[in-house]
């Protein structure tokens, strides 16, 4: 029998930032959808990195919602207070999670519909995702009287044209 003890240096195997965050969770089965929407809005205003609802089946066969809030350590107390004051929960679970995020930056692209920001994500220095800012595309589409997908396509075309010039 041979036992080897050591540590694996995963930083050599990937590109991106790994961070330690907190997940706050609670189950709710007696709140209106309006209240739950309000809680999500407030959580994001208070600095939650993510907030989402998952349908769950609770005791006595009642449908409910698993409310999940992802945040950094500095925001846990204010977000827990929000959950206790704005929902009917009697308890909130709190646990550490690790998140690995891609390297990303924002580039501005000029289109016939105006300037649009694009989030560019990289893995090991290679572009793996490009996402035009949806709200800017939506506003540009409304102003021009075209569909949002036309504006998004124009952004991608301009982005690729700019890349070809480099």
């Amino acid at each position: 029998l041979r036992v080897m003890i050591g540590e694996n240096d995963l930083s050599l195997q990937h590109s991106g930032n790994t961070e330690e965050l907190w997940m706050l969770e609670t189950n709710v089965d007696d709140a209106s959808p309006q209240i739950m929407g309000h809680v999500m809005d407030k959580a994001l205003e208070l600095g939650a990195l993510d907030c989402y609802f998952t349908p769950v089946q609770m005791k006595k066969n009642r449908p409910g919602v698993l409310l999940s809030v992802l945040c950094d350590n500095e925001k846990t107390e204010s977000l827990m207070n929000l959950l206790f004051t704005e929902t009917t929960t009697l308890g909130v679970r709190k646990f550490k999670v690790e998140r690995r995020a891609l390297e990303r930056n924002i580039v501005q692209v000029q289109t016939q519909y105006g300037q649009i920001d694009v989030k560019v994500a990289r893995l090991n220095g290679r572009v793996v995702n490009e996402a035009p800012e949806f709200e800017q595309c939506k506003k540009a589409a409304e102003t021009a009287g075209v569909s949002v997908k036309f504006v998004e396509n124009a952004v991608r075309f301009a982005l690729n044209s700019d890349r070809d010039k480099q």
Side-chain angles (χ1 to χ4, degrees), residues 27-41 53 63-67 86-89:
N27 294 0
V28 179
D29 66 356
D30 56 353
S32 73
Q34 293 89 347
I35 291 293
M36 297 304 283
H38 167 73
V39 170
M40 178 182 279
D41 291 343
F53 307 129
V65 172
L66 169 63
L67 193 167
E86 294 288 346
T87 73
T88 56
T89 192

Side-chain angles (χ1 to χ4, degrees), residues 112-137:
Q112 67 264 36
Y113 303 109
Q115 188 169 293
I116 306 288
D117 291 340
V118 178
K119 187 181 293 181
V120 179
R122 290 180 175 75
L123 177 64
N124 299 320
R126 192 177 115 250
V127 173
V128 294
N129 194 17
E130 298 167 326
E133 175 57 47
F134 181 78
E135 292 300 323
Q136 292 177 2
C137 290

